[in-house]
Amino acid sequence: MNIAIYGYGNLGRGVECAVAAAPDMSLVGIFTRRDPATVHPHTDVPVYHASDLLNYKDKIDVLIICGGSATDLPEMTPALARDFNVVDSFDTHADIPAHFARVNTAAAEGGNIALISAGWDPGMFSVNRLYASAILPDGKDYTFWGRGVSQGHSDAVRRIEGVLDARQYTVPVPEALDAVRAGNKPELSTREKHTRECYVVAAEGADLARIEREIKTMPKYFSDYDTTVNFITMEELKRDHMGIPHGGCVIRTGETGWDHENKHVIEYKLTLDSNPEFTSSVLVAYARAIHKMHARGMNGCYTVFDVAPADLSPLSPEELRAKML
Amino acid sequence: MNIAIYGYGNLGRGVECAVAAAPDMSLVGIFTRRDPATVHPHTDVPVYHASDLLNYKDKIDVLIICGGSATDLPEMTPALARDFNVVDSFDTHADIPAHFARVNTAAAEGGNIALISAGWDPGMFSVNRLYASAILPDGKDYTFWGRGVSQGHSDAVRRIEGVLDARQYTVPVPEALDAVRAGNKPELSTREKHTRECYVVAAEGADLARIEREIKTMPKYFSDYDTTVNFITMEELKRDHMGIPHGGCVIRTGETGWDHENKHVIEYKLTLDSNPEFTSSVLVAYARAIHKMHARGMNGCYTVFDVAPADLSPLSPEELRAKML
């Protein structure tokens, strides 16, 4: 199975590594909108300019699109799905139906298959929400994120005047997690579910009180949360906060029995040292799946909901039944 | 979607309740090998003798077979798959490939669809082993069971002379769980993973020391484990040990990165007040799925590995993408 990468940032680097770990895949190229001479992959895979992509159409089974959801993917995925089987990690939940429709039209017209919104949320968390709700229809589910770095919130802090650099961690509230796991089905406000921790490097002489106030009162990003702001040195930031960990959990609690007398808790939990590398690993597994599905004659757009688990594995159905069932 | 139940024990009762909770299903009958007059369902669903089953062939979309894996299902599922779409919970892991082959032949000949080995292990645990290994190929997975009642081990204790009744709980060893979750990939012996707790009601005057020794040295069931034996009264057993709780977790830890420098933990955890009612809920969700798959022209035998998550849900693909992705 020949894979190509479109876009070489954190996610693209993760895909390069994940494809190398896959026994049934080869990486045939990295395509970039930058000058290819400025892109240095970890392996000796060739780097091409994005404008050359169509020349390699016959050599690519699946193109993994590693762009951002804000502006890249809404354009890229429909455009590329006309000529390639594609996987993306589009993660703007509210816009998924519109993105799906555009990609579905393009992929179907090209006779290609596309899988959108792979990763962990959307992605593995979504799959677990679906399984749990299908099994326990009489129940309630919760998603908690963290402890982990939110890139968007870190960026928002960095835009404040006097801030040289910053990291923001999203942290689930332990009492909320406990109440959910106990099956109490609490109604939780935004503030009750997560707290936000900021580590900020301020410019010399900057007004720290103003920076802290601007962070804590920032609408959407921080004002609905209990936020703590820690000012640290650039050295401390580089020593303690260079990783991109993340994770979280999806929990559904529900009841069975004629009097709802039996409680059940289903929990799916991720603890990830590297958010982009884990996301990349999911993208690569779904690239394998859509390659198999396309070989069975399937076209158009799909999501993680439409993929049978067996298609994600390099093992045969016989091996899977013998070893993993 | 019209469902029928074949066999009315703990599992059959759970299916009756789970079908009642499903918005898109009706229960059309319970079939039993006993005298139907002796079977008393919770609802007013009719009870028929098993020998009448073929008379209702046109009225049943999916037949959920609620028999035991030791002797019932190896006979029942292939026989019934010739005439019905069927779901079973066959759970003898080592015999799944042979069971699959027999059911596949029968279902294909009859133009029917069968799903075997639904439940939680095999079942949801299997699905999670597969997802996790496909995403993190460089890793190791572990399955822990409990704390929960093992019916087979409870039965084994009850067969000892002088034992009036007994319950056996399987309990994961906390230190083993901690080591696995920490990503240490320990090699764990049987004894290091689980302990066994027995609650035994002995006959008056029975030799308690002998009973305890016979339990602890019983090959396969107890001799490879650290086992504790607690003698209690029948009143205590009835007060504290009448439930059938179970659960456990599937954990895969793995690494990504060129130097395997980033660790990840994927954990799927179930905490169940009623093992049979949860298993029944899984069977009912997979009955929904195979009904959809059969409508798309699929025949033969499948497992949970072959079912796309969307097929388990009563919601439409559009609703699922909008609400759960």
Side-chain angles (χ1 to χ4, degrees):
Chain A
M1 193 178 322
N2 290 320
I3 304 289
I5 294 171
Y6 192 92
Y8 194 71
N10 279 339
L11 203 56
R13 278 190 285 273
V15 170
E16 183 186 14
C17 190
V19 169
D24 54 345
M25 293 182 171
S26 302
L27 187 64
V28 297
I30 292 169
F31 293 83
T32 177
R33 291 174 297 175
R34 292 179 272 165
D35 175 359
T38 67
V39 170
H40 304 290
H42 190 275
T43 58
D44 55 4
V45 61
V47 181
Y48 306 104
H49 194 266
S51 59
D52 290 334
L53 183 59
L54 277 179
N55 298 332
Y56 296 89
K57 185 168 171 169
D58 297 342
K59 299 198 168 57
I60 299 170
D61 293 316
V62 181
L63 181 65
I64 301 181
I65 310 176
C66 301
S69 294
T71 55
D72 293 341
L73 297 177
E75 300 295 322
M76 282 179 186
T77 310
L80 296 168
R82 292 192 181 275
D83 294 296
F84 296 91
N85 297 325
V86 296
V87 176
D88 83 12
S89 61
F90 184 76
D91 67 0
T92 312
H93 290 261
D95 297 338
I96 286 174
H99 187 58
F100 181 92
R102 284 193 300 269
V103 176
N104 190 45
T105 301
E109 284 177 8
N112 298 313
I113 187 166
L115 188 126
I116 60 162
S117 303
W120 58 275
D121 195 4
M124 298 316 298
F125 274 15
S126 322
V127 160
N128 276 279
R129 284 188 284 263
L130 173 40
Y131 275 116
S133 69
I135 295 169
L136 293 177
D138 181 10
K140 186 166 164 64
D141 60 46
Y142 297 84
T143 302
F144 289 91
W145 297 274
R147 188 177 191 262
V149 172
S150 165
Q151 220 59 58
H153 288 77
S154 299
D155 288 344
V157 175
R158 282 188 209 106
R159 284 192 293 266
I160 292 174
E161 196 192 321
V163 172
L164 297 180
D165 203 349
R167 290 293 179 284
Q168 194 272 178
Y169 295 87
T170 306
V171 185
V173 174
E175 293 76 17
L177 272 172
D178 290 344
V180 168
R181 286 183 180 134
N184 298 338
K185 295 204 259 188
E187 292 293 334
L188 296 168
S189 67
T190 298
R191 190 178 299 276
E192 288 168 328
K193 283 186 73 184
H194 296 92
T195 53
R196 298 196 175 278
E197 288 176 10
C198 302
Y199 293 85
V200 179
V201 182
E204 219 181 295
D207 179 349
L208 303 189
R210 173 192 54 80
I211 290 173
E212 179 163 347
R213 195 171 58 242
E214 284 193 34
I215 293 173
K216 290 185 171 179
T217 58
M218 196 184 296
K220 286 189 188 173
Y221 285 88
F222 292 100
S223 63
D224 293 337
Y225 298 85
D226 289 338
T227 301
T228 50
V229 177
N230 306 283
F231 290 99
I232 60 174
T233 65
M234 191 62 89
E235 290 66 38
E236 288 169 324
L237 186 92
K238 298 216 148 128
R239 186 189 67 203
D240 302 331
H241 301 281
M242 291 312 284
I244 319 176
H246 219 314
C249 56
V250 170
I251 304 174
R252 186 173 181 91
T253 64
E255 290 104 44
T256 60
W258 297 106
D259 299 315
H260 307 267
E261 67 273 26
N262 288 314
K263 284 187 179 183
H264 307 283
V265 185
I266 304 175
E267 176 165 351
Y268 180 78
K269 185 167 179 231
L270 296 175
T271 311
L272 312 175
D273 271 2
S274 167
N275 183 353
E277 286 183 8
F278 187 84
T279 300
S280 303
S281 300
V282 177
L283 290 175
V284 167
Y286 278 94
R288 175 181 295 119
I290 64 165
H291 183 247
K292 294 185 193 178
M293 291 161 71
H294 192 246
R296 293 200 292 268
M298 296 172 76
N299 297 323
C301 189
Y302 296 89
T303 74
V304 293
F305 293 159
D306 307 306
V307 177
D311 283 336
L312 298 167
S313 175
L315 300 182
S316 71
E318 291 76 16
E319 289 174 305
L320 290 174
R321 285 193 294 269
K323 292 179 186 174
M324 269 187 219
L325 200 62
Chain B
M1 193 178 322
N2 290 320
I3 305 291
I5 295 171
Y6 192 93
Y8 194 71
N10 278 340
L11 204 57
R13 278 190 285 272
V15 170
E16 183 186 13
C17 190
V19 170
D24 53 346
M25 293 182 172
S26 301
L27 187 63
V28 298
I30 292 169
F31 293 84
T32 177
R33 290 175 296 175
R34 292 179 273 164
D35 174 0
T38 66
V39 170
H40 303 289
H42 190 275
T43 57
D44 55 4
V45 60
V47 182
Y48 306 105
H49 193 266
S51 59
D52 289 335
L53 184 59
L54 277 179
N55 297 332
Y56 296 88
K57 186 168 170 169
D58 296 343
K59 297 197 169 61
I60 298 170
D61 293 317
V62 181
L63 180 65
I64 302 182
I65 310 177
C66 300
S69 293
T71 56
D72 293 342
L73 297 177
E75 299 295 323
M76 283 178 185
T77 310
L80 296 169
R82 293 193 181 274
D83 294 296
F84 296 92
N85 298 325
V86 296
V87 176
D88 82 15
S89 61
F90 184 76
D91 66 1
T92 312
H93 290 262
D95 297 337
I96 286 174
H99 187 58
F100 181 91
R102 283 193 300 269
V103 175
N104 190 44
T105 301
E109 284 177 9
N112 297 313
I113 187 165
L115 189 126
I116 60 161
S117 302
W120 58 275
D121 194 5
M124 299 315 299
F125 274 15
S126 322
V127 161
N128 277 280
R129 284 188 283 264
L130 173 41
Y131 274 116
S133 69
I135 294 168
L136 293 178
D138 181 10
K140 185 166 165 63
D141 59 45
Y142 298 83
T143 302
F144 290 91
W145 298 274
R147 185 177 192 262
V149 172
S150 165
Q151 219 62 55
H153 288 77
S154 299
D155 288 343
V157 175
R158 282 188 209 106
R159 285 192 291 266
I160 292 174
E161 196 192 323
V163 171
L164 297 181
D165 203 349
R167 290 293 179 285
Q168 193 274 177
Y169 295 87
T170 306
V171 186
V173 174
E175 294 75 17
L177 272 171
D178 290 346
V180 168
R181 287 183 179 133
N184 298 337
K185 295 205 259 188
E187 292 293 334
L188 296 168
S189 67
T190 298
R191 191 177 299 276
E192 288 169 328
K193 284 185 74 185
H194 297 92
T195 53
R196 299 197 175 278
E197 288 176 12
C198 303
Y199 294 85
V200 179
V201 182
E204 220 180 295
D207 179 349
L208 303 188
R210 174 192 52 81
I211 290 173
E212 179 162 346
R213 194 173 57 243
E214 283 194 32
I215 294 172
K216 290 186 170 178
T217 58
M218 196 186 297
K220 283 190 188 173
Y221 284 89
F222 293 100
S223 62
D224 293 338
Y225 299 85
D226 289 337
T227 301
T228 50
V229 177
N230 305 282
F231 289 99
I232 60 174
T233 65
M234 190 62 89
E235 290 66 40
E236 288 170 325
L237 186 93
K238 297 216 148 125
R239 187 189 67 204
D240 302 332
H241 301 282
M242 291 312 284
I244 318 176
H246 219 315
C249 56
V250 170
I251 304 174
R252 187 174 181 91
T253 63
E255 290 101 43
T256 61
W258 297 104
D259 299 315
H260 307 266
E261 67 273 27
N262 288 313
K263 285 186 179 183
H264 308 283
V265 185
I266 304 175
E267 176 167 351
Y268 180 78
K269 185 167 179 232
L270 296 176
T271 310
L272 313 175
D273 271 359
S274 167
N275 183 353
E277 287 183 6
F278 187 83
T279 300
S280 303
S281 300
V282 177
L283 290 175
V284 167
Y286 278 95
R288 175 182 294 118
I290 65 164
H291 184 248
K292 293 186 194 178
M293 292 161 71
H294 191 247
R296 293 199 293 266
M298 296 172 75
N299 298 322
C301 189
Y302 296 89
T303 75
V304 293
F305 293 159
D306 307 306
V307 176
D311 283 335
L312 298 167
S313 175
L315 300 182
S316 71
E318 292 74 17
E319 289 173 304
L320 290 174
R321 286 193 293 271
K323 292 179 186 174
M324 270 188 217
L325 201 61

